[in-house]
Amino acid sequence: MRIAILGGTGDIGQGLALRWAYDTDHEVLIGSRDPERARTATEEYETELDSHGVERKINGFANEMAADRADVVVLAVPPYHVGDTVESVAGKLDEGTVLVTPAVGMNGDDDGLHYHPPKAGSVTELVADRAPDGVPVVGAFHNLAADRLANLDLELEVDTLLVGDDEDPKETVRLLADGIEGLRVLDAGPLANAAEVESVTPLLINIARYNGDLHDVGIEFH
Ligand SMILES: NC(=O)c1ccc[n+]([C@@H]2O[C@H](COP(=O)([O-])OP(=O)(O)OC[C@H]3O[C@@H](n4cnc5c(N)ncnc54)[C@H](OP(=O)(O)O)[C@@H]3O)[C@@H](O)[C@H]2O)c1
């Protein structure tokens, strides 16, 4: 499988890229608005993998070119730019290319972070509204801590929740996520349930903030 991570130069993109490259044989492409920034990131990721005994080639491209080449496109960009990012690559997405969104809208005040969904109900549904016809959307990875993903010395031992309306693309993303060691995938239902999944993310960040020894906290359901 060829996975393009748009905004793969950022935190969650780095974590997912490293884990997929470390744990699986999937081809990972890093996308950026600036192809030079993408290439710089791939060099850093390759160096990190090399230091863990894994020699992998990761290629970097402009977002449009990465999306053009991929079977699955992960939108690892800030929530308020995810819709525009979908539109910027829409012409490059083949029918059946799976769009994956981990984005969560939040705002903060002195007390902590608070879930702040868009009018669509959730960022995941906003992405589905903006995706071209025939391009399915799956929400995943919303509740993972980027730093924990990016630290290959740490065992993950966390769950990730999937939301989506179509079974085949959901199964594709389930297999990709399952390939990451220590990540258990649970089905949280259709896109209409995305707000419940997204809203867990500010809760996790607030828990980390108010409990000093908890960093990069995740969820595990028993
Ligand atoms: N960080 C986490 O732990 C975490 C966990 C779960 C979910 N998420 C979600 O994942 C998404 C990415 O989070 P992040 O922390 O990785 O974000 P980030 O590091 O702040 O940004 C990721 C990348 O987005 C691109 N970007 C920045 N501004 C943009 C714009 N105006 N238009 C298009 N692209 C832009 C940048 O790439 P280029 O400059 O190279 O284009 C940047 O490297 C967010 O929606 C967040 O809610 C994050």
Side-chain angles (χ1 to χ4, degrees), residues 41-54:
T42 63
E43 285 166 18
E44 285 169 23
Y45 302 168
E46 285 171 1
T47 302
E48 180 64 12
L49 290 159
D50 196 46
S51 75
H52 285 78
V54 172

Side-chain angles (χ1 to χ4, degrees), residues 27 29 42 46 51 55 63 66 90 93 104 110 113 117 123 132 143 150-151 186 203-204 211 214 218:
E27 187 179 346
L29 312 179
T42 63
E46 285 171 1
S51 75
E55 209 175 303
N63 281 335
L93 300 172
V104 176
D110 290 346
L113 290 180
V123 180
N143 311 134
N151 185 345
L186 296 174
L203 171 67
L204 295 174
N211 297 271
L214 280 179

